[in-house]
Amino acid sequence: MQYFQGEKELITTKNEHLVLTNYRIIKKVQVWGKSYRIDIFLENISSVESQFKSYPILLLLAVLGIIGGIFSENIEAGIALGVFFVLVWWFSRKHLITIMPDGGNPLNILAERMSQEKINELMFFIQQAKFLRTQELYIR
């Protein structure tokens, strides 16, 4: 990866998919032959948020499946359908860190297997790097 003059790495994830420098945040993705990279300069970040994303409609479908099974006198099928929707809901849940730039698309970081403490720490480092970068730009 090429860096600008004076740019230094602050944080790099183990898999090197996310790099935080004193100038920008870089996300590199390579999945199923598709490769892309997103760079956001720190001064262009408007917000950083942590969110837990799930689809509660799947839980509603699970309940409706069980109720439908009871009323159709086919309880086994209703329970199987309910369990199916609960499992789909469980495995589709995601914990995301979203970095919103001033313009353009948000940068989503999947926070799988990260403790809440590590998520908060990463968010703090991003916000601190942004603060230092904007101080550097506006003091000059």
Side-chain angles (χ1 to χ4, degrees), residues 38-122:
I38 301 170
D39 293 33
I40 299 175
F41 283 95
L42 296 175
E43 61 270 17
N44 295 328
I45 293 174
S46 62
S47 68
V48 180
E49 68 179 30
S50 171
Q51 61 179 316
F52 198 76
K53 204 169 196 175
S54 70
Y55 303 96
I57 188 75
L58 294 170
L59 292 176
L60 178 64
L61 291 172
V63 170
L64 291 176
I66 293 170
I67 291 172
I70 291 170
F71 284 118
S72 70
E73 297 179 12
N74 193 350
I75 296 173
E76 293 85 12
I79 291 174
L81 191 61
V83 168
F84 170 76
F85 280 119
V86 167
L87 288 174
V88 170
W89 168 78
W90 181 264
F91 289 110
S92 67
R93 299 178 314 145
K94 299 176 199 170
H95 201 156
L96 295 173
I97 298 171
T98 303
I99 300 171
M100 296 294 294
D102 291 336
N105 293 328
L107 188 149
N108 291 311
I109 302 164
L110 192 57
E112 285 184 338
R113 291 179 242 126
M114 284 179 73
S115 68
Q116 189 62 46
E117 182 180 332
K118 288 289 183 188
I119 291 169
N120 292 340
E121 189 176 296
L122 177 60

Side-chain angles (χ1 to χ4, degrees), residues 1-4 7 9 11-13 16-21 23-29 36-42 99 107 109:
M1 182 181 322
Q2 294 179 330
Y3 293 106
F4 296 113
E7 187 174 20
E9 273 187 25
I11 296 176
T12 304
T13 57
E16 297 183 3
H17 289 298
L18 186 72
V19 178
L20 175 65
T21 73
Y23 289 175
R24 58 192 166 148
I25 188 160
I26 304 155
K27 181 181 178 186
K28 299 180 284 186
V29 178
Y36 65 92
R37 179 176 145 168
I38 301 170
D39 293 33
I40 299 175
F41 283 95
L42 296 175
I99 300 171
L107 188 149
I109 302 164

